[in-house]
Amino acid sequence: QQQVKQSPQSLIVQKGGISIINCAYENTAFDYFPWYQQFPGKGPALLIAIRPDVSEKKEGRFTISFNKSAKQFSLHIMDSQPGDSATYFCAASIRGGSARQLTFGSGTQLTVLP
Amino acid sequence: EAGVTQFPSHSVIEKGQTVTLRCDPISGHDNLYWYRRVMGKEIKFLLHFVKESKQDESGMPNNRFLAERTGGTYSTLKVQPAELEDSGVYFCASSRSWGSNTGELFFGEGSRLTVL
Protein backbone atom coordinates (compact mmCIF):
# COMPACT_ATOMS: atom_id res chain seq x y z
CA GLN A 1 0.00 0.00 0.00
CA GLN A 2 1.52 3.27 -1.14
CA GLN A 3 1.12 5.87 1.59
CA VAL A 4 2.01 8.87 -0.57
CA LYS A 5 0.45 9.03 -4.04
CA GLN A 6 2.00 11.40 -6.56
CA SER A 7 0.72 12.64 -9.90
CA PRO A 8 1.30 13.11 -12.74
CA GLN A 9 3.96 10.55 -13.59
CA SER A 10 5.35 12.85 -16.25
CA LEU A 11 4.81 16.49 -17.13
CA ILE A 12 5.84 18.59 -20.10
CA VAL A 13 5.70 22.37 -19.76
CA GLN A 14 6.75 25.23 -21.99
CA LYS A 15 9.43 27.61 -20.76
CA GLY A 16 7.82 30.29 -18.64
CA GLY A 17 4.83 28.15 -17.77
CA ILE A 18 3.66 26.85 -14.41
CA SER A 19 4.46 23.28 -13.40
CA ILE A 20 2.15 21.68 -10.84
CA ILE A 21 2.76 18.35 -9.15
CA ASN A 22 0.30 16.89 -6.67
CA CYS A 23 0.61 14.48 -3.77
CA ALA A 24 -1.88 12.90 -1.41
CA TYR A 25 -1.18 11.02 1.79
CA GLU A 26 -3.05 8.67 4.07
CA ASN A 27 -1.22 8.73 7.39
CA THR A 28 -2.42 11.67 9.50
CA ALA A 29 0.63 11.25 11.73
CA PHE A 30 2.86 12.68 8.99
CA ASP A 31 4.08 16.11 10.05
CA TYR A 32 6.88 16.97 7.66
CA PHE A 33 6.45 17.20 3.89
CA PRO A 34 9.57 17.78 1.77
CA TRP A 35 10.02 17.88 -1.97
CA TYR A 36 13.16 16.47 -3.54
CA GLN A 37 14.64 17.28 -6.92
CA GLN A 38 16.74 14.71 -8.75
CA PHE A 39 18.80 15.30 -11.88
CA PRO A 40 19.93 12.35 -14.02
CA GLY A 41 22.85 10.51 -12.43
CA LYS A 42 22.53 12.44 -9.18
CA GLY A 43 20.89 11.72 -5.87
CA PRO A 44 17.70 13.42 -4.67
CA ALA A 45 18.32 16.84 -3.14
CA LEU A 46 15.99 18.69 -0.80
CA LEU A 47 14.20 21.46 -2.68
CA ILE A 48 11.65 22.82 -0.23
CA ALA A 49 9.69 21.50 2.75
CA ILE A 50 6.61 22.39 4.76
CA ARG A 51 5.06 21.51 8.11
CA PRO A 52 1.28 21.14 8.50
CA ASP A 53 0.88 24.26 10.62
CA VAL A 54 1.11 26.46 7.51
CA SER A 55 -0.84 26.29 4.27
CA GLU A 56 1.80 27.64 1.93
CA LYS A 57 5.55 28.08 1.72
CA LYS A 58 7.37 29.92 -1.02
CA GLU A 59 11.05 29.92 -1.89
CA GLY A 60 11.86 31.79 -5.06
CA ARG A 61 9.94 30.24 -7.95
CA PHE A 62 8.97 27.18 -5.89
CA THR A 63 5.83 27.07 -3.74
CA ILE A 64 4.32 24.29 -1.65
CA SER A 65 0.58 24.45 -1.06
CA PHE A 66 -0.71 22.29 1.79
CA ASN A 67 -4.31 21.25 2.50
CA LYS A 68 -4.41 19.40 5.81
CA SER A 69 -8.12 18.56 5.71
CA ALA A 70 -7.83 17.03 2.25
CA LYS A 71 -4.48 15.41 3.09
CA GLN A 72 -2.98 16.84 -0.06
CA PHE A 73 0.02 18.98 -0.91
CA SER A 74 1.40 20.26 -4.16
CA LEU A 75 4.49 21.81 -5.68
CA HIS A 76 4.14 24.79 -7.99
CA ILE A 77 7.07 25.90 -10.12
CA MET A 78 6.48 29.36 -11.50
CA ASP A 79 8.19 30.61 -14.67
CA SER A 80 9.49 27.10 -15.35
CA GLN A 81 12.92 26.93 -16.96
CA PRO A 82 14.68 24.20 -18.98
CA GLY A 83 17.10 23.86 -16.05
CA ASP A 84 14.17 22.74 -13.91
CA SER A 85 13.88 19.57 -15.99
CA ALA A 86 14.36 16.79 -13.45
CA THR A 87 12.47 14.17 -11.48
CA TYR A 88 10.57 15.53 -8.49
CA PHE A 89 9.60 13.44 -5.48
CA CYS A 90 7.22 14.41 -2.75
CA ALA A 91 7.76 12.78 0.63
CA ALA A 92 6.41 12.69 4.15
CA SER A 93 7.71 11.69 7.54
CA ILE A 94 6.71 11.46 11.18
CA ARG A 95 8.65 13.55 13.66
CA GLY A 96 8.42 10.93 16.38
CA GLY A 97 9.33 8.06 14.11
CA SER A 98 12.72 6.87 13.00
CA ALA A 99 14.40 10.18 12.49
CA ARG A 100 13.64 11.27 8.97
CA GLN A 101 12.36 7.93 7.72
CA LEU A 102 10.86 9.37 4.57
CA THR A 103 7.94 7.89 2.69
CA PHE A 104 8.28 8.95 -0.93
CA GLY A 105 5.86 9.36 -3.79
CA SER A 106 6.61 7.61 -7.07
CA GLY A 107 8.14 10.67 -8.72
CA THR A 108 7.25 13.05 -11.55
CA GLN A 109 9.53 13.50 -14.52
CA LEU A 110 9.32 17.16 -15.51
CA THR A 111 10.47 18.35 -18.92
CA VAL A 112 10.53 22.08 -19.59
CA LEU A 113 10.74 22.83 -23.29
CA PRO A 114 12.85 25.83 -24.41
CA GLU B 1 32.92 19.34 2.52
CA ALA B 2 32.57 16.03 0.70
CA GLY B 3 29.06 14.75 0.13
CA VAL B 4 27.71 11.25 0.57
CA THR B 5 29.68 8.92 -1.65
CA GLN B 6 28.57 5.53 -2.88
CA PHE B 7 30.43 2.73 -4.60
CA PRO B 8 30.06 1.18 -7.09
CA SER B 9 27.98 3.47 -9.25
CA HIS B 10 26.76 0.51 -11.28
CA SER B 11 27.04 -3.22 -10.73
CA VAL B 12 25.87 -5.95 -13.09
CA ILE B 13 25.72 -9.47 -11.62
CA GLU B 14 24.02 -12.75 -12.32
CA LYS B 15 21.24 -14.19 -10.24
CA GLY B 16 22.65 -16.04 -7.27
CA GLN B 17 25.81 -13.95 -7.00
CA THR B 18 26.74 -11.62 -4.17
CA VAL B 19 27.12 -7.87 -4.31
CA THR B 20 28.31 -5.43 -1.66
CA LEU B 21 27.46 -1.77 -1.88
CA ARG B 22 29.34 0.82 0.12
CA CYS B 23 28.33 4.20 1.47
CA ASP B 24 30.53 6.88 3.02
CA PRO B 25 28.35 9.44 4.79
CA ILE B 26 29.19 13.08 5.32
CA SER B 27 31.74 13.38 8.11
CA GLY B 28 30.09 13.94 11.47
CA HIS B 29 26.69 12.63 10.41
CA ASP B 30 25.52 10.07 12.94
CA ASN B 31 22.45 9.05 10.96
CA LEU B 32 22.87 6.86 7.90
CA TYR B 33 19.99 5.56 5.81
CA TRP B 34 19.61 3.12 2.95
CA TYR B 35 16.80 3.56 0.44
CA ARG B 36 15.98 1.75 -2.80
CA ARG B 37 14.14 2.69 -5.97
CA VAL B 38 12.94 -0.21 -8.08
CA MET B 39 11.68 0.03 -11.67
CA GLY B 40 10.74 3.72 -11.61
CA LYS B 41 8.58 3.32 -8.55
CA GLU B 42 8.79 5.21 -5.28
CA ILE B 43 12.00 5.43 -3.29
CA LYS B 44 11.56 3.04 -0.37
CA PHE B 45 13.19 3.11 3.04
CA LEU B 46 15.33 0.09 3.90
CA LEU B 47 17.02 0.88 7.20
CA HIS B 48 18.48 3.51 9.48
CA PHE B 49 21.70 3.50 11.50
CA VAL B 50 22.50 5.81 14.37
CA LYS B 51 26.25 5.59 14.59
CA GLU B 52 26.96 1.84 14.51
CA SER B 53 23.52 0.74 15.79
CA LYS B 54 20.59 -0.28 13.64
CA GLN B 55 17.79 2.03 14.71
CA ASP B 56 15.17 0.74 12.30
CA GLU B 57 15.45 -2.03 9.75
CA SER B 58 11.75 -2.42 9.07
CA GLY B 59 12.19 -1.79 5.35
CA MET B 60 14.68 -4.58 4.69
CA PRO B 61 12.95 -6.90 2.22
CA ASN B 62 14.30 -10.24 3.48
CA ASN B 63 17.27 -11.97 5.06
CA ARG B 64 19.24 -11.90 1.82
CA PHE B 65 20.05 -8.30 2.66
CA LEU B 66 22.65 -7.51 5.32
CA ALA B 67 23.68 -4.00 6.32
CA GLU B 68 26.56 -3.11 8.56
CA ARG B 69 28.15 0.06 9.85
CA THR B 70 31.19 -0.99 11.78
CA GLY B 71 32.71 1.80 13.84
CA GLY B 72 29.88 4.12 12.97
CA THR B 73 31.57 5.44 9.83
CA TYR B 74 30.96 3.91 6.42
CA SER B 75 28.24 1.36 5.79
CA THR B 76 27.94 -1.67 3.54
CA LEU B 77 24.84 -3.33 2.16
CA LYS B 78 25.33 -6.90 1.02
CA VAL B 79 22.85 -8.82 -1.10
CA GLN B 80 23.43 -12.56 -1.03
CA PRO B 81 22.25 -14.33 -3.11
CA ALA B 82 20.94 -11.69 -5.48
CA GLU B 83 17.58 -12.20 -7.21
CA LEU B 84 16.14 -10.52 -10.30
CA GLU B 85 13.75 -8.39 -8.23
CA ASP B 86 16.70 -6.86 -6.36
CA SER B 87 17.56 -4.76 -9.42
CA GLY B 88 17.20 -1.07 -8.78
CA VAL B 89 19.03 1.99 -7.53
CA TYR B 90 20.21 1.88 -3.94
CA PHE B 91 20.55 5.27 -2.31
CA CYS B 92 22.41 6.10 0.85
CA ALA B 93 21.68 9.24 2.83
CA SER B 94 23.07 10.80 5.98
CA SER B 95 22.02 13.48 8.42
CA ARG B 96 23.14 15.17 11.59
CA SER B 97 21.45 14.90 14.95
CA TRP B 98 21.41 17.33 17.80
CA GLY B 99 19.30 16.63 20.84
CA SER B 100 16.02 15.22 19.62
CA ASN B 101 16.28 17.00 16.29
CA THR B 102 17.44 15.59 13.00
CA GLY B 103 18.70 17.63 10.13
CA GLU B 104 18.18 17.44 6.41
CA LEU B 105 18.94 14.19 4.61
CA PHE B 106 21.76 14.38 2.09
CA PHE B 107 21.64 11.66 -0.54
CA GLY B 108 24.41 10.02 -2.47
CA GLU B 109 24.24 9.53 -6.23
CA GLY B 110 23.12 5.94 -5.80
CA SER B 111 24.41 2.52 -6.77
CA ARG B 112 22.56 0.97 -9.67
CA LEU B 113 22.26 -2.80 -9.33
CA THR B 114 21.32 -4.93 -12.32
CA VAL B 115 20.71 -8.63 -11.67
CA LEU B 116 20.60 -10.77 -14.82
Side-chain angles (χ1 to χ4, degrees):
Chain A
Q1 180 185 5
Q2 189 175 348
Q3 292 195 55
V4 179
K5 294 184 178 181
Q6 183 172 347
S7 64
Q9 186 175 5
S10 63
L11 180 62
I12 298 175
V13 174
Q14 292 286 341
K15 177 182 176 181
I18 302 173
S19 303
I20 301 174
I21 305 171
N22 300 299
C23 285
Y25 63 96
E26 295 292 328
N27 191 343
T28 55
F30 287 143
D31 66 352
Y32 175 71
F33 302 89
W35 285 88
Y36 282 81
Q37 179 187 56
Q38 184 187 18
F39 293 105
K42 301 296 184 182
L46 180 64
L47 181 64
I48 186 172
I50 196 168
R51 296 199 183 278
D53 51 347
V54 296
S55 60
E56 185 175 282
K57 182 174 182 179
K58 183 176 180 179
E59 290 185 1
R61 297 184 293 108
F62 301 89
T63 300
I64 299 179
S65 297
F66 185 81
N67 186 329
K68 188 174 182 178
S69 61
K71 293 187 288 186
Q72 295 175 346
F73 58 111
S74 60
L75 176 69
H76 292 63
I77 305 175
M78 310 300 289
D79 186 26
S80 298
Q81 299 296 312
D84 297 331
S85 297
T87 300
Y88 292 81
F89 294 93
C90 62
S93 72
I94 303 170
R95 179 189 289 273
S98 177
R100 291 297 181 262
Q101 177 186 326
L102 296 168
T103 300
F104 283 90
S106 55
T108 296
Q109 188 163 346
L110 171 66
T111 302
V112 181
L113 301 176
Chain B
E1 179 182 84
V4 176
T5 57
Q6 294 187 243
F7 182 84
S9 58
H10 192 187
S11 181
V12 181
I13 62 173
E14 293 188 350
K15 176 183 173 180
Q17 290 186 321
T18 298
V19 64
T20 299
L21 310 178
R22 172 171 170 146
C23 169
D24 286 76
I26 293 172
S27 178
H29 283 196
D30 288 340
N31 296 293
L32 186 149
Y33 311 80
W34 284 98
Y35 285 83
R36 178 175 73 170
R37 190 182 192 205
V38 174
M39 289 290 290
K41 296 186 177 179
E42 70 270 25
I43 302 171
K44 282 194 173 180
F45 169 82
L46 296 179
L47 86 160
H48 168 214
F49 284 98
V50 177
K51 297 184 180 179
E52 69 275 8
S53 299
K54 291 178 184 175
Q55 185 76 10
D56 182 349
E57 52 183 329
S58 60
M60 295 288 266
N62 50 62
N63 59 9
R64 295 186 293 103
F65 288 75
L66 175 64
E68 295 180 324
R69 191 184 182 192
T70 306
T73 54
Y74 71 91
S75 174
T76 58
L77 179 64
K78 180 189 287 188
V79 185
Q80 179 183 28
E83 298 289 344
L84 298 179
E85 62 265 25
D86 300 333
S87 296
V89 182
Y90 290 77
F91 291 104
C92 176
S94 70
S95 69
R96 290 179 55 220
S97 288
W98 60 97
S100 60
N101 296 313
T102 301
E104 172 188 348
L105 263 66
F106 292 86
F107 282 82
E109 296 185 346
S111 290
R112 180 177 295 277
L113 173 63
T114 302
V115 183
L116 303 177

